[in-house]
């Protein structure tokens, strides 16, 4: 079992433990969910303390979520208010190149202003591959609702830290449309985002060892791997 599979085993154990706990508040649920997002490198626990997420910050989070490879942390952008020195300029430039974001009529992106939930949803719908179904914000919200992206999220107003965590947790479990070669053709197939973007596979069974920890006493240090039902 690879290191990535081991990480997913740990995530599954966390989720199992959460399911066994008494009912918790939305804040506590968000605190539990941030562990998975931090492990995957999407965002840090500090996000929970934020009353609002800025447009620039969400651009960075969205690029992290997509996990599509390296990009310049600092980059020139087409927006007059996003210089190369802005901490989120690289992410903003990357999303612009992908066609996921636009500025206002004055050529500005307003990176330090709070992002609306509806605008954050639009970006995630694009990343998940459903953008070609939509043209306007109401269409994006309808599409988001239909794929389960808005579960537990109020789609009005600005995006808070807790709402952002919930939105991202939903997105990880949403089935993304990803290109797959079938025979001589490339077709779009539905695959959970956590599997499509992070190359993680889900396994079920009894975890017997993780790394240098043997739960049965029969395994030594197996490095960055795990043993589930006797399979490494």
């Amino acid at each position: 079992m690879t290191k990535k599979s081991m990480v997913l085993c740990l995530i599954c154990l966390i989720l199992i433990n959460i399911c066994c706990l008494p009912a918790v508040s939305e804040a506590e649920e968000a605190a539990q969910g941030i562990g998975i997002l931090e492990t995957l490198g999407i965002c840090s626990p500090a996000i929970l303390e934020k009353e609002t997420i800025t447009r620039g910050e969400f651009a960075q989070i969205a690029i992290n979520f997509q996990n599509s490879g390296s990009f310049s942390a600092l980059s020139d952008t087409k927006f007059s208010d996003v210089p190369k020195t802005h901490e989120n300029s690289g992410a903003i430039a990357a999303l612009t190149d992908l066609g996921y974001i636009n500025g206002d009529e004055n050529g500005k992106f307003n990176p330090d202003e709070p992002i609306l939930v509806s605008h954050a949803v639009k970006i995630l719908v694009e990343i998940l591959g459903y953008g070609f179904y939509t043209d306007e914000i109401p269409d994006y919200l309808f599409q988001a609702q239909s794929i389960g992206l808005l579960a537990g999220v109020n789609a009005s107003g600005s995006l808070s830290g807790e709402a952002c965590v919930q939105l991202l947790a939903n997105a990880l479990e949403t089935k993304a449309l990803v290109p797959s070669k079938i025979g001589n053709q490339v077709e779009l197939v539905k695959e959970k985002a956590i599997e499509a973007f992070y190359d993680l596979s889900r396994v079920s069974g009894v975890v017997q060892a993780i790394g240098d920890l043997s739960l049965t006493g029969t395994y030594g240090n197996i490095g960055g791997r795990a043993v589930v039902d006797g399979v490494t």
Side-chain angles (χ1 to χ4, degrees), residues 109-168:
F109 182 70
N110 304 303
D112 301 317
E113 293 297 316
I115 189 169
L116 297 177
V117 175
S118 56
H119 291 174
V121 166
K122 175 185 181 296
I123 294 172
L124 288 178
V125 167
E126 291 280 8
I127 290 174
L128 291 168
Y130 294 91
F132 62 87
Y133 288 124
T134 58
D135 293 308
E136 304 294 337
I137 287 296
D139 298 329
Y140 282 99
L141 292 175
F142 178 81
Q143 186 65 54
Q145 185 70 47
S146 68
I147 61 177
L149 190 58
L150 293 179
V153 177
N154 185 339
S156 63
S158 299
L159 184 68
S160 68
E162 288 183 14
C164 184
V165 168
Q166 182 64 59
L167 193 61
L168 293 168

Side-chain angles (χ1 to χ4, degrees), residues 3-206:
K3 185 175 181 180
K4 287 184 177 179
S5 295
M6 184 187 75
V7 170
L8 189 57
C9 285
L10 292 173
I11 291 173
C12 290
L13 287 174
I14 292 171
L15 293 176
I16 290 172
N17 288 333
I18 290 173
C19 292
C20 295
L21 294 173
V24 295
S25 66
E26 290 183 4
E28 289 171 323
E29 287 180 354
Q32 291 165 350
I34 193 64
I36 297 173
L37 299 176
E38 183 181 22
T39 298
L40 296 177
I42 298 174
C43 58
S44 73
I47 193 175
L48 290 173
E49 305 301 322
K50 291 181 170 291
E51 292 187 8
T52 57
I53 305 298
T54 69
R55 291 168 58 83
E57 288 171 338
F58 192 79
Q60 184 66 61
I61 290 169
I63 283 293
N64 294 344
F65 177 87
Q66 185 165 320
N67 194 36
S68 59
S70 61
F71 67 96
S72 299
L74 300 177
S75 179
D76 292 320
T77 75
K78 71 174 188 178
F79 304 112
S80 61
D81 60 343
V82 185
K84 186 174 182 178
T85 53
H86 191 284
E87 61 179 342
N88 303 126
S89 63
I92 293 169
L95 289 181
T96 303
D97 290 342
L98 290 168
Y100 296 167
I101 59 175
N102 296 295
D104 60 21
E105 64 276 7
N106 298 314
K108 295 183 177 181
F109 182 70
N110 304 303
D112 301 317
E113 293 297 316
I115 189 169
L116 297 177
V117 175
S118 56
H119 291 174
V121 166
K122 175 185 181 296
I123 294 172
L124 288 178
V125 167
E126 291 280 8
I127 290 174
L128 291 168
Y130 294 91
F132 62 87
Y133 288 124
T134 58
D135 293 308
E136 304 294 337
I137 287 296
D139 298 329
Y140 282 99
L141 292 175
F142 178 81
Q143 186 65 54
Q145 185 70 47
S146 68
I147 61 177
L149 190 58
L150 293 179
V153 177
N154 185 339
S156 63
S158 299
L159 184 68
S160 68
E162 288 183 14
C164 184
V165 168
Q166 182 64 59
L167 193 61
L168 293 168
N170 292 345
L172 284 175
E173 293 301 313
T174 297
K175 288 190 175 182
L177 286 174
V178 295
S180 178
K181 188 172 183 180
I182 302 176
N184 294 323
Q185 296 182 330
V186 176
E187 298 181 10
L188 292 176
V189 298
K190 289 185 177 182
E191 185 179 357
K192 278 194 175 182
I194 194 171
E195 299 168 0
F197 298 156
Y198 295 90
D199 194 25
L200 296 174
S201 57
R202 292 184 178 277
V203 295
S204 61
V206 178

